[in-house]
Amino acid sequence: SAVISQKPSRDICQRGTSLTIQCQVDSQVTMMFWYRQQPGQSLTLIATANQGSEATYESGFVIDKFPISRPNLTFSTLTVSNMSPEDSSIYLCSASGARETQYFGPGTRLLVL
Amino acid sequence: QKEVEQNSGPLSVPEGAIASLNCTYSDRGSQSFFWYRQYSGKSPELIMSIYSNGDKEDGRFTAQLNKASQYVSLLIRDSQPSDSATYLCAAPIQGAQKLVFGQGTRLTINP
């Protein structure tokens, strides 16, 4: 299984600012994903981070709000732009393994004031 | 209809008993199913994957898959307090590698 790290682990931000979350995998992986998890809720997929091309966003998520980069097969970033308190959540990245498995990073806990 | 549904929790089980967690899915084309465990304040951890009809055992965990009934379950034998967590069922969307997660079942093992 892949070992995944995320930075920062948590942050408190002011509304209107942006935060970039980094995700690093210890091996090359085909697919990387970004999820959001609201308190007490399940995981919601934000987008698939595609290496060398634009990310694929799920319904309800747009590139202007959540720009994503994937410069190589081990690294991706998610930016939460122009934040509001509604963006307070846990943001998780995952990496694909064999046979559609996914492994998750430790998450980034974001609080927007 | 949600693509992956889990029985509503919370589920409370006495220590040493069998905990049974259930999940149904709507996509008949799904071939892979996953169970994740998520402790409070932590990220999801993959504990079981199952691809074929029948049972798959790993230690105290058994995953059961019935594709005809579109049903996946997770049994935890000899439940321990350390098994207390939220358990998430997931399946890939057909034709894509992205996973759809159920809403999760919160399990509490009572000493």
Side-chain angles (χ1 to χ4, degrees):
Chain A
S1 64
V3 177
I4 303 168
S5 59
Q6 281 185 239
K7 289 194 297 186
S9 59
R10 61 180 66 237
D11 208 340
I12 301 173
C13 300
Q14 297 298 316
R15 70 171 67 210
T17 63
S18 297
L19 175 72
T20 295
I21 303 168
Q22 299 179 7
C23 179
Q24 179 74 54
V25 188
D26 70 340
S27 59
Q28 292 186 343
V29 293
T30 306
M31 310 287 283
M32 293 181 73
F33 304 89
W34 287 97
Y35 291 83
R36 182 171 72 182
Q37 188 173 32
Q38 307 277 26
Q41 303 294 314
S42 187
L43 282 70
T44 300
L45 181 63
I46 297 172
T48 302
N50 301 308
Q51 195 270 326
S53 65
E54 197 170 280
T56 305
Y57 290 85
E58 298 301 306
S59 176
F61 298 96
V62 295
I63 188 172
D64 290 346
K65 177 66 176 178
F66 297 101
I68 288 170
S69 77
R70 176 97 190 267
N72 55 51
L73 293 176
T74 64
F75 186 78
S76 179
T77 68
L78 168 75
T79 298
V80 186
S81 302
N82 188 26
M83 289 184 286
S84 66
E86 292 70 35
D87 294 319
S88 298
S89 189
I90 299 171
Y91 292 86
L92 294 151
C93 75
S94 73
S96 61
R99 300 191 73 179
E100 298 167 310
T101 56
Q102 287 186 26
Y103 301 97
F104 286 86
T108 296
R109 286 153 182 76
L110 172 62
L111 176 62
V112 183
L113 301 177
Chain B
Q1 180 186 2
K2 291 183 180 178
E3 292 172 321
V4 176
E5 292 200 55
Q6 296 182 239
N7 56 329
S8 59
L11 177 64
S12 184
V13 174
E15 184 176 357
I18 297 175
S20 177
L21 305 163
N22 304 311
C23 174
T24 59
Y25 60 94
S26 60
D27 184 357
R28 284 194 169 274
S30 293
Q31 298 294 318
S32 312
F33 302 89
F34 307 97
W35 283 100
Y36 288 83
R37 177 177 62 197
Q38 187 173 26
Y39 291 116
S40 180
K42 302 294 186 182
S43 63
E45 171 193 10
L46 179 67
I47 54 171
M48 289 287 284
S49 59
I50 187 166
Y51 305 96
S52 304
N53 272 331
D55 296 359
K56 178 182 178 183
E57 188 174 316
D58 184 0
R60 295 185 297 110
F61 298 95
T62 299
Q64 299 176 319
L65 174 59
N66 183 326
K67 290 186 178 180
S69 300
Q70 296 176 251
Y71 178 94
V72 186
S73 65
L74 179 70
L75 302 178
I76 307 174
R77 292 183 301 281
D78 188 23
S79 298
Q80 302 297 310
S82 60
D83 295 325
S84 298
T86 296
Y87 290 81
L88 298 158
C89 174
I93 295 173
Q94 190 177 15
Q97 280 204 294
K98 52 187 180 180
L99 295 178
V100 174
F101 285 82
Q103 65 267 41
T105 299
R106 186 170 177 179
L107 174 66
T108 299
I109 307 299
N110 300 306

